Amino acid sequence: MTAALSTRLTKQLGIAHPIISAPMALAAGGALAAAVTRAGGLGLIGGGYGNSDWIRTQFEAAGAERVGVGFITWSVQRSPGVVAEALALNPVAVMLSFGDPAAFADQIKDAGATLICQCQNLNHVEQAVRAGADIIVAQGSEAGGHGAFRGTLSLVPEVADFLSTRSPETLLVAAGGIADGRALAASLLLGADGVLMGTRLWASSEAVVHPRHHETIVASNGDDTIRTSTPDIARGLDWPAEFTARIRRNAFTERWHGDEQSLAANTAVEGPRYSAAFADGDPDNAGVFFGEAAGLIHSIEPAGSIIERVIAEAVAVLRSGASYLR
Ligand SMILES: Cc1cc2nc3c(=O)[nH]c(=O)nc-3n(C[C@H](O)[C@H](O)[C@H](O)COP(=O)(O)O)c2cc1C
């Protein structure tokens, strides 16, 4: 290993590099999580809406690597036993996003797992601190998948300031649009202890992603995504109104974004059509979930190569930063 960065995150989690992989529903299975951990980061399995069988299978796929798991909070609140089942698999960390973490916080911490809470605004950060979060992920709107409307560049330092007075022992991780070493270095300078990457690792050979969806991200730039509720309406998912999903703009979004009421009225037809298109890897007629970092991604690579390059780039950027000083 030629390059390394040491932060509070690497020390607290006992990892070599300050990078966590996002627990991406459907896409972040055990193979990706294990590859990220093997490369020196911390890999999280995408527990998503809470399918116990899938989660167990993915922990098995991760083998003996230290991995964690993430859940969509409002969804697992409806089937809370899923979190207890996952804790029995000994995750290093549990990440909760999109809902008040209070109901699960004690259970997670009592099991000895690190509690990570992903937050999209300062209200969420207050809730997470109150619940006893060990790590807060400040997620900006550039992010792929679900999120809200604050941009990463101002959200991260604002949360850093908040934590420095209100809960200095809580670590901060930046997310949203982070796909290379420049953004990792910038995140550290903004006050984060590390980063969480989704889109960049979605575009890895270990992610559970249809090859045609992978072709789409390589051909896309950062202008090609949109925040929309249309995939949730088509799938009949009851997402709280404050969250939308960032996905590839395509024929599906052209047809239904802005005409959500019609989509909602047609889910009996459009729901199965959407599911079939997703399963077929049809990039035009279902949601292809990735973020604005698409414009920085030019090939599908093994997760380990991505992590190694991001660290080497960040070290180079941080070293060259001294050149600005007079
Ligand atoms: C395909 C995809 C699926 C995602 N699914 C989840 C999820 O199930 N739970 C969650 O907390 N975040 C999810 N996210 C959001 C990530 O946790 C993270 O905030 C985001 O990927 C960071 O921004 P980036 O995509 O620009 O790296 C997802 C992101 C992507 C790209």
Side-chain angles (χ1 to χ4, degrees), residues 22-25 27 48 71-72 95 97-98 118 139 142-146 175-178 196-200 202 289-291 293:
M24 297 172 280
F71 292 106
I72 293 167
M95 176 164 140
S97 309
F98 315 121
Q118 182 160 250
Q139 185 214 36
E142 298 92 318
H146 286 88
I178 297 164
L196 176 129
M197 295 197 306
T199 296
R200 178 57 270 199
W202 182 90
F289 283 62
F290 58 71

Side-chain angles (χ1 to χ4, degrees), residues 1-21 35-43 66 173 184 188 193-197 303-312 314-315:
M1 193 190 309
T2 52
L5 295 169
S6 175
T7 72
R8 295 195 301 171
L9 188 74
T10 59
K11 289 176 197 142
Q12 186 156 319
L13 292 178
I15 54 180
H17 303 313
I19 298 177
I20 301 175
S21 63
V36 169
T37 294
R38 217 175 293 119
L42 176 67
R66 292 172 77 232
V173 164
L184 167 54
L188 298 180
D193 300 293
V195 297
L196 176 129
M197 295 197 306
S305 309
I306 294 168
I307 303 274
E308 206 175 296
R309 187 179 59 249
V310 167
I311 293 296
V315 168

